[in-house]
Amino acid sequence: MLENVLNIKKLLQHYRMMTVFCRFSLSLQRFYPAPICCHGFFFILLFGISLFNTDSGLYAEPVIVGASPANEATVVTLPDGRHKIYYINRPGDADRLMSIESADGAEWSKPSVEFRLPGEAYYANRVFVSKDGTVHCVFHIWNTGELGYRGRQLDLWYTRQQPGKNWAVPEKIFEGYVGSIRSFTELQSGRIIFSFGKAVPERVAKPEEGEADFGWNEVISMYSDDAGGQWNYSNALRIQIDSEKTTRYGAVEPDVVELEPGLVWMLIRTNKGFLYESYSHDAGSSWSEPRPSPFISSDSPAAFLRLRDGRLVLFLNMNQRWDDPNSYAFGGREVLHAAISNDNGKTWKGFREVLNVYCAGDAQAKGDRGTAYPSATETSEGEIILVSGQGESRSIVMVDPNWLESENQVKKEDCSTGAKPAPELFFHFAARDKGAIHLNLALPRGLSGLRLGLSDHYTVPGDSLVYENAIVSHTWATHEPALKSSQLGIEWDLKNQHANLYVNGVLVKTLKVQKTSRWGINYLRIQCLDLDGQPVVPADWDFVKNANKNNII
């Protein structure tokens, strides 16, 4: 049945459809006080898939087609068109590299063994297919020694499988403690480049007060010009960190992409609230000093995917946590976002949720969890197969890259579960620096107003400081125009540094933009206020509802 759904989905991408009027809308060209409009935006429900008619065509939301077989798996496309997901058999003995395969990304085979490992592994592995069809693989194996982290090592091993042959005997290529492996690829010249974070034993202990803290890891690259026969090393990259946070990883888990022959771009995981970046102008032999990138991120790795048509896709966790600086991953991994670039990374569109678990889990839970560690490949039909997740949240997802560029969809998220109502209501949409959202309200008794926040990242429900850190926020209290039954409009224009609020088409407030944003706003969140103006959890969110077909909720 899933195969039929995906086939229908692809067919419908070539046609425009007009059916049930969507309950949410985002107007990009007309704002209050002009008549409220729905900008060419309708939807249907097809076996759980939402399809949206936009100015650029009909595109479908991401579809979860199954569970990824393990944490930190890698997905690739083989020369014959088959797709494979490689993973370590952990939980378990962690002594084999396993795989599952698919012809279309929807139906996957039973697991099979690729080869036995030369010891016990952790989860991480990385695989790519070179231009000559050889499958290259790196993984790490537990060891003891003084080159790693407090007597423990995760040494790096390498092997390859040439077309029509068995896997070569794995060889150890690096000794030390290496964290998760995120970057392993071939450049246009044929050079293999492998970037990773490694432990620096002498930096494991926190430095004395007043000394710069670079954490206990740094990033290096290994590269080979003879298909993995000989390996060379680049200079090391380090990033000064916030040493007051609970973990001091430093610079770790980079990913790289070649922008043009010899010019390589690297994004690096940090605990600073955003990714750092570095460039190499000599195909990875040397790297520039890492600098802050414009990409918001929790303490999580990013992943690149170059599509056949030249577009560049970036996966990242645009998550922050403001009232708990020492929260899990310093912002969380409840949501994985994706953006797409048509100009080789100069500008980006989207920053949309491709996978989320924020309605399914406890933000205070312990242990690794969430939607991090993405890996992606492209099918012959131009779809993206994405594997991502940790713990119980592992998923295989089909993503239409064109959906990342469609701008007229707003997704409402009410995370109420059973008898437990949600503390806030979320609206998520493609990031933009100019736009408007229109809501129809009918506040019940016991509520005096609302608190509104527009932001460029995800924050868990109930964060007590989220509105103070929003790009635009406003508390709509009892002394302001009544919201008991009204049409509320929120318009923003970040280039002109303002946002306007309308009630029933009348401008009632112009707000200042509190923070700058490189890529624009992609979230609206709403919090209810009681008669004393304090946050309160409503029994339900039915008071936000459609009034008539010319307005949205």
Side-chain angles (χ1 to χ4, degrees):
M1 171 151 176
L2 180 57
E3 181 179 0
N4 291 334
V5 170
L6 293 174
N7 288 336
I8 293 173
K9 168 186 163 186
K10 294 171 184 176
L11 177 63
L12 290 178
Q13 287 174 356
H14 298 90
Y15 299 94
R16 291 181 176 268
M17 300 185 64
M18 295 177 60
T19 179
V20 184
F21 181 79
C22 184
R23 299 180 67 196
F24 316 108
S25 168
L26 188 103
S27 174
L28 302 180
Q29 297 182 351
R30 302 183 68 184
F31 305 116
Y32 283 103
I36 305 169
C37 68
C38 179
H39 190 67
F41 176 49
F42 298 87
F43 86 105
I44 65 170
L45 293 180
L46 178 66
F47 304 113
I49 301 174
S50 297
L51 300 174
F52 295 85
N53 182 19
T54 72
D55 286 345
S56 56
L58 188 65
Y59 303 114
E61 291 184 0
V63 180
I64 296 177
V65 298
S68 178
N71 294 349
E72 301 183 33
T74 302
V75 60
V76 302
T77 299
L78 301 177
D80 62 7
R82 289 178 298 146
H83 312 293
K84 269 195 173 184
I85 296 176
Y86 294 90
Y87 64 98
I88 304 296
N89 60 327
R90 184 184 185 100
D93 295 332
D95 61 350
R96 301 176 187 182
L97 184 74
M98 309 290 294
S99 70
I100 57 176
E101 68 176 63
S102 172
D104 58 6
E107 301 290 339
W108 291 86
S109 69
K110 293 182 179 180
S112 61
V113 177
E114 292 289 329
F115 58 85
R116 290 185 175 273
L117 303 175
E120 181 186 354
Y122 198 52
Y123 287 107
N125 70 87
R126 206 66 178 174
V127 179
F128 80 87
V129 183
S130 58
K131 290 188 286 289
D132 66 0
T134 299
V135 181
H136 301 259
C137 175
V138 288
F139 55 92
H140 44 33
I141 296 293
W142 286 107
N143 198 359
T144 58
E146 300 305 316
L147 299 176
Y149 176 73
R150 295 176 177 172
R152 294 186 301 160
Q153 293 183 186
L154 274 171
D155 300 330
L156 286 172
W157 291 70
Y158 165 76
T159 184
R160 61 179 177 264
Q161 182 183 39
Q162 294 178 319
K165 296 184 179 181
N166 295 326
W167 286 95
V169 176
E171 299 177 354
K172 185 190 297 187
I173 59 173
F174 182 85
E175 287 192 70
Y177 188 102
V178 175
S180 179
I181 308 165
R182 310 308 308 151
S183 180
F184 187 42
T185 190
E186 182 183 40
L187 304 183
Q188 294 182 45
S189 64
R191 169 176 286 187
I192 297 173
I193 182 170
F194 179 27
S195 303
F196 54 91
K198 70 175 184 69
V200 182
E202 57 268 27
R203 295 212 307 260
V204 169
K206 189 175 180 179
E208 297 293 331
E209 185 174 353
E211 294 183 7
D213 189 356
F214 293 95
W216 56 272
N217 286 273
E218 61 189 16
V219 165
I220 66 168
S221 294
M222 296 176 64
Y223 55 93
S224 173
D225 293 316
D226 59 358
Q230 298 289 327
W231 295 92
N232 300 293
Y233 297 88
S234 74
N235 59 306
L237 304 178
R238 61 181 190 173
I239 297 172
Q240 187 171 346
I241 64 168
D242 179 358
S243 60
E244 298 305 313
K245 292 184 175 177
T246 52
T247 56
R248 301 178 44 257
Y249 297 131
V252 291
E253 298 176 1
D255 195 16
V256 306
V257 66
E258 189 173 24
L259 299 178
E260 57 187 58
L263 175 60
V264 189
W265 181 28
M266 176 188 292
L267 289 178
I268 307 170
R269 169 186 167 181
T270 76
N271 72 353
K272 310 274 283 185
F274 40 84
L275 299 166
Y276 265 58
E277 63 184 357
S278 177
Y279 290 88
S280 174
H281 294 270
D282 52 14
S285 298
S286 63
W287 293 89
S288 65
E289 185 74 16
R291 302 294 182 193
S293 82
F295 300 107
I296 296 170
S297 177
S298 63
D299 193 9
S300 307
F304 289 111
L305 174 65
R306 176 75 73 180
L307 301 178
R308 288 190 304 275
D309 62 12
R311 288 181 295 174
L312 192 58
V313 180
L314 175 64
F315 299 93
L316 72 169
N317 295 96
M318 296 181 68
N319 304 346
Q320 296 288 279
R321 180 69 186 266
W322 297 104
D323 62 358
D324 184 3
N326 281 316
S327 64
Y328 171 61
F330 309 126
R333 293 171 174 172
E334 291 82 11
V335 178
L336 182 69
H337 299 84
I340 192 165
S341 174
N342 286 289
D343 54 11
N344 213 24
K346 296 182 180 66
T347 61
W348 294 84
K349 293 182 178 180
F351 298 99
R352 309 189 74 173
E353 294 182 358
V354 291
L355 190 58
N356 74 64
V357 296
Y358 58 80
C359 291
D362 180 3
Q364 305 300 326
K366 303 296 183 182
D368 280 350
R369 60 195 183 276
T371 62
Y373 296 94
S375 173
T377 190
E378 185 182 10
T379 72
S380 60
E381 300 294 326
E383 296 274 347
I384 296 171
I385 304 172
L386 168 70
V387 293
S388 185
Q390 293 175 286
E392 301 301 318
S393 302
R394 303 186 304 267
S395 299
I396 306 172
V397 187
M398 299 293 290
V399 182
D400 183 348
N402 297 310
W403 172 81
L404 297 173
E405 298 190 80
S406 60
E407 296 183 332
N408 296 339
Q409 174 191 346
V410 176
K411 183 178 181 181
K412 176 186 175 185
E413 294 288 355
D414 178 357
C415 294
S416 301
T417 56
K420 184 180 180 181
E424 291 173 280
L425 189 65
F426 287 79
F427 295 84
H428 171 63
F429 39 89
R432 74 287 315 285
D433 57 15
K434 186 176 183 180
I437 292 181
H438 309 147
L439 308 171
N440 289 335
L441 307 173
L443 293 186
R445 293 182 179 180
L447 296 182
S448 66
L450 304 172
R451 181 170 288 130
L452 310 173
L454 292 167
S455 64
D456 57 358
H457 60 274
Y458 172 79
T459 306
V460 294
D463 187 321
S464 60
L465 297 179
V466 66
Y467 294 94
E468 295 178 22
N469 289 279
I471 295 174
V472 175
S473 67
H474 181 63
T475 300
W476 210 301
T478 53
H479 65 276
E480 296 188 77
L483 295 176
K484 294 299 181 182
S485 181
S486 58
Q487 298 167 7
L488 174 63
I490 309 150
E491 170 202 333
W492 68 91
D493 185 343
L494 299 186
K495 289 184 178 179
N496 292 315
Q497 295 288 295
H498 78 270
N500 292 330
L501 298 181
Y502 299 87
V503 173
N504 297 324
V506 178
L507 176 65
V508 296
K509 194 82 172 181
T510 296
L511 306 174
K512 292 184 179 179
V513 172
Q514 301 174 167
K515 298 172 65 175
T516 60
S517 176
R518 177 67 176 271
W519 310 116
I521 289 168
N522 60 349
Y523 281 96
L524 164 68
R525 58 197 296 154
I526 300 175
Q527 185 180 69
C528 293
L529 303 176
D530 63 17
L531 295 177
D532 295 321
Q534 297 301 311
V536 62
V537 178
D540 58 57
W541 290 95
D542 284 345
F543 66 87
V544 184
K545 57 186 178 181
N546 195 16
N548 60 65
K549 68 178 182 178
N550 294 318
N551 297 301
I552 54 86
I553 73 168

